[in-house]
């Protein structure tokens, strides 16, 4: 006889486990199904958490070797890569163990194995090995299976010479040369890690810019600062071939054809051969729904493989819902978590909702890049009249004292109402500072509201207030 629940959540990443916990808090009997031995999904196991651990450690290594001397602290760092990777793994374990504890605390049943939805309300779970499949039943099923790395046709990822983001987290030695295919946040973050540890990094990108989707000013500033740090770029180039052998990898790149996102006027330019020890393929992620049996059930998807859902996160099949990376929207852990909470509350008869206009994003390079709301390009395309205020960290006392004064804050406000439409930051601790902007935007604040808030001195966040003042042309420190 099958175990019966109010809700079964397939996947325990940031969307799935949060949805399960909120549903349990609201009185539902909940089970989660997870194919990994540990919880947390891609984010905690091979994504957000391990990459940020390595970013943090590599920043400290670089600082010890270059910046501490300017402060009167003499140090000669020696890299112990094995210990650094162990530091990363310890952080992963602490987080995945934490999720397991939270599920147990909230009396959520955990089933490990590969899930398949046999019919609305019925899930079959096949454990690893030869164990017999287990049948679960529920009033509602939530698909929260996340995403997988996007692949380039003809390029086989072996996690030895040709890496995905997963393989790039566990290299046994620092490569002399690394080629990163893709100038999105994953490629730039992981490229930064190995560059700081000593690798010569070249980034190949089809488009003529880095970080597609971010504000143009931020993208240009980020590229300039990464170039100063030593990262090389081949923008407006496509990868034609990748050949791996025992000695390394040979990558053939060529100017992108007009209309493919590259620069114009490249006719006649020849292909170029780049050589490296390893290649990281970081061209994005795709929804992961393999093996769930969705086609047989008639669950509708769009042309990008994302599951279609309505305002209640319900698919085309009644009783089956989906959240996170498998549906439309930015593939961000916090977006998935917000959807998980909203869905649980909707199912409990509450007014769960997500404000998709106020979802911040962060690129954890150095300096960090953070953004929330609309970009200037989006406002121009929509014909929305706006005013912009910009303030550089070179005019911020705390940033100058720390000698981390690279970057700026930009505030975009509606011309008529002065309501804040977007905030964009490149600079130290941008990922934390963007939260202030998100809070204000959530409550419909104006640039004047932000400009009137007293900020402690000396702090980096004073730059946000100054940018808001600059919207009206009255910044005080520039």
């Amino acid at each position: 006889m099958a175990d019966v629940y109010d809700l079964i959540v397939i996947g325990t990443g940031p969307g799935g486990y949060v949805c399960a916990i909120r549903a349990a808090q609201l009185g539902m009997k909940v089970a989660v199904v997870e194919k990994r031995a540990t919880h947390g999904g891609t984010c905690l196991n091979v994504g957000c958490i391990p990459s940020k651990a390595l970013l943090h450690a590599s920043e400290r290594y670089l600082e010890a070797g270059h910046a501490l001397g300017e402060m009167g602290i003499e140090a000669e760092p020696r890299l112990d890569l094995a210990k650094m990777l162990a530091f990363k793994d310890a952080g992963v374990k602490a987080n995945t163990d934490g999720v397991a504890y939270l599920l147990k605390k909230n009396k959520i049943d955990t089933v490990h194995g590969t899930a398949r939805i046999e019919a609305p309300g019925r899930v079959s779970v096949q454990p690893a090995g030869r164990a017999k499949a287990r049948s679960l039943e529920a009033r509602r099923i939530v698909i929260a299976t996340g995403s997988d790395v996007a692949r380039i046709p003809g390029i086989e990822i072996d996690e030895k010479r040709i890496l995905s983001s997963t393989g790039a987290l566990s290299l046994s030695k620092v490569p002399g040369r690394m080629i990163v295919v893709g100038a999105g946040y994953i490629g730039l973050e992981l490229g930064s890690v190995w560059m700081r540890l000593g690798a010569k990094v070249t980034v190949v990108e089809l488009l003529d810019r880095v970080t597609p989707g971010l504000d143009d000013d931020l993208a240009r500033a980020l590229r300039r600062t990464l170039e100063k740090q030593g990262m090389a770029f081949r923008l407006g180039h496509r990868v034609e071939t990748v050949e791996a052998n025992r000695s390394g990898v040979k990558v053939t790149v060529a100017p992108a054809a007009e209309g493919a996102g590259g620069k114009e006027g490249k006719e006649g330019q020849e292909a170029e051969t780049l050589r490296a020890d390893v290649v990281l393929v970081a061209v994005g992620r795709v929804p992961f729904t393999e093996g769930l049996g969705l086609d047989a059930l008639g669950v509708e998807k769009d042309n990008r493989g994302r599951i279609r859902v309505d305002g209640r996160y319900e698919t085309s099949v009644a009783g089956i819902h989906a959240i996170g990376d498998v549906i439309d929207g930015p593939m961000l852990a916090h977006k998935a978590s917000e959807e998980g909470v909203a869905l649980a509350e909707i199912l409990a008869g509450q007014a769960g909702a997500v404000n998709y206009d106020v979802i911040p994003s962060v690129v954890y390079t150095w300096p960090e890049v953070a953004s929330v709301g609309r970009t200037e390009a989006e406002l121009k395309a929509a014909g929305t009249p706006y005013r912009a205020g910009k303030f550089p960290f070179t005019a911020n006392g705390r940033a100058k004292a720390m000698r981390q004064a690279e970057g700026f804050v930009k505030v975009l406000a509606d011309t008529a109402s002065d309501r804040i439409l977007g905030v964009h930051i490149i600079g130290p601790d941008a990922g934390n500072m963007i939260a202030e902007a998100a809070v204000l935007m959530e409550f419909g604040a104006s640039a004047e509201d932000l400009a009137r808030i007293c900020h402690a001195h000396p702090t980096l966040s004073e730059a946000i207030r100054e940018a808001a003042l600059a919207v009206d042309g009255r910044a005080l420190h520039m």
Side-chain angles (χ1 to χ4, degrees):
M1 183 176 178
D3 297 307
V4 181
Y5 298 90
D6 295 310
L7 186 69
I8 296 172
V9 181
I10 303 174
T12 58
Y17 84 76
V18 169
C19 180
I21 290 172
R22 185 65 183 123
Q25 289 176 342
L26 292 167
M28 299 182 209
K29 183 181 179 182
V30 183
V32 294
V33 181
E34 174 54 55
K35 65 180 180 180
R36 283 188 172 93
T38 54
H39 298 292
T42 293
C43 179
L44 271 63
N45 286 276
V46 291
C48 317
I49 297 301
S51 64
K52 302 317 168 279
L54 288 181
L55 282 159
H56 173 74
S58 63
E59 284 176 16
R60 299 291 79 79
Y61 174 75
L62 188 66
E63 183 180 36
H66 297 276
L68 292 185
E70 298 176 357
M71 305 179 209
I73 305 170
E74 299 300 329
E76 294 183 9
R78 180 183 64 85
L79 176 63
D80 185 334
L81 182 58
K83 187 174 287 188
M84 185 178 287
L85 294 177
F87 167 80
K88 177 257 298 181
D89 292 339
V92 169
K93 186 177 188 306
N95 278 277
T96 56
D97 286 353
V99 174
Y101 164 76
L102 291 172
L103 294 172
K104 183 177 181 180
K105 175 187 174 184
N106 286 278
K107 298 179 173 57
I108 297 166
D109 288 349
T110 297
V111 182
H112 286 280
T114 302
R116 181 179 180 83
I117 305 173
E118 300 293 347
R122 190 168 73 249
V123 176
S124 173
V125 183
Q126 178 62 57
R130 299 182 179 180
K132 185 179 179 181
R134 179 176 174 181
S135 183
L136 309 175
E137 292 183 2
R139 292 174 53 248
R140 301 280 180 174
I141 297 169
V142 179
I143 300 168
T145 46
S147 58
D148 192 11
V149 295
R151 288 166 170 77
I152 300 175
I155 300 177
E156 182 179 351
I157 295 174
D158 59 14
E159 303 296 16
K160 295 176 182 178
R161 293 289 187 184
I162 304 174
L163 314 170
S164 71
S165 55
T166 300
L169 292 168
S170 301
L171 291 174
S172 60
K173 65 178 181 179
V174 178
R177 293 170 296 177
M178 169 183 271
I179 294 172
V180 178
V181 183
Y185 71 94
I186 295 174
L188 297 185
E189 287 180 3
L190 291 175
S192 292
V193 167
W194 296 106
M195 179 176 68
R196 293 168 191 159
L197 299 181
K200 293 183 178 179
V201 176
T202 300
V203 179
V204 180
E205 168 59 49
L206 183 68
L207 303 178
D208 58 5
R209 56 164 292 163
V210 303
T211 54
L214 280 183
D215 183 85
D216 292 345
D217 276 353
L218 292 187
R220 285 190 291 267
L222 179 59
R223 176 191 172 185
R224 287 195 299 268
T225 191
L226 290 176
E227 284 178 329
K228 285 193 289 184
Q229 293 171 31
M231 190 175 286
F233 289 91
R234 295 289 193 280
L235 301 181
H237 280 69
R238 69 179 185 276
V239 173
E240 293 193 329
T241 62
V242 176
E243 299 177 21
N245 53 48
R246 290 184 178 181
S247 62
V249 189
K250 182 173 68 174
V251 180
T252 304
V253 302
E258 184 177 347
K263 296 178 181 178
E264 298 181 8
K266 292 188 175 180
E267 291 80 0
Q269 292 189 21
E270 296 181 355
E272 179 182 6
T273 298
L274 307 177
R275 298 180 185 275
D277 298 288
V278 295
V279 170
L280 165 60
V281 179
V283 292
R285 300 186 65 83
V286 294
F288 183 82
T289 57
E290 183 181 344
L292 289 174
L294 302 188
D295 291 340
L297 292 166
V299 174
E300 294 180 3
K301 301 177 188 176
D302 65 15
N303 58 3
R304 295 174 60 182
R306 300 173 299 193
I307 298 172
R308 296 184 187 274
V309 294
D310 60 15
R312 293 171 51 86
Y313 301 101
E314 192 163 30
T315 71
S316 56
V317 178
I320 300 177
H321 301 257
I323 59 171
D325 288 1
V326 296
I327 68 172
D328 189 18
M331 290 183 171
L332 298 170
H334 44 283
K335 175 258 195 186
S337 294
E338 291 300 305
E339 290 173 342
V341 170
L343 173 55
E345 293 177 347
I346 288 169
L347 296 180
Q350 299 184 5
V354 177
N355 183 356
Y356 289 99
D357 291 330
V358 188
I359 295 180
S361 62
V362 183
V363 184
Y364 294 91
T365 50
W366 191 94
E368 289 182 347
V369 179
S371 181
V372 64
R374 303 299 179 189
T375 67
E376 286 202 66
E378 288 171 339
L379 293 176
K380 289 175 181 176
T384 303
Y386 70 94
R387 295 183 298 163
K390 198 172 179 180
F391 188 81
F393 281 105
T394 52
N396 175 268
R398 179 69 181 275
K400 286 193 288 187
M402 294 165 56
R403 295 198 180 182
Q404 294 186 21
E406 193 158 5
F408 58 85
V409 178
K410 180 163 70 173
V411 173
L412 306 174
D414 184 88
T415 299
S417 68
D418 197 40
R419 183 172 181 170
I420 299 172
L421 302 175
V423 177
H424 309 279
I425 308 172
I426 177 169
D429 208 28
N432 283 320
M433 286 194 291
I434 201 65
E436 176 182 7
V439 169
L440 288 163
M441 290 176 64
E442 186 67 38
F443 289 94
S446 66
E448 179 68 15
D449 291 328
L450 175 53
R452 292 289 177 182
I453 296 173
C454 181
H455 287 65
H457 174 78
T459 61
L460 298 169
S461 65
E462 289 177 281
I464 299 178
R465 183 193 185 199
E466 290 277 3
L469 286 164
V471 169
D472 196 38
R474 52 194 175 97
L476 298 170
H477 289 87
M478 89 174 168

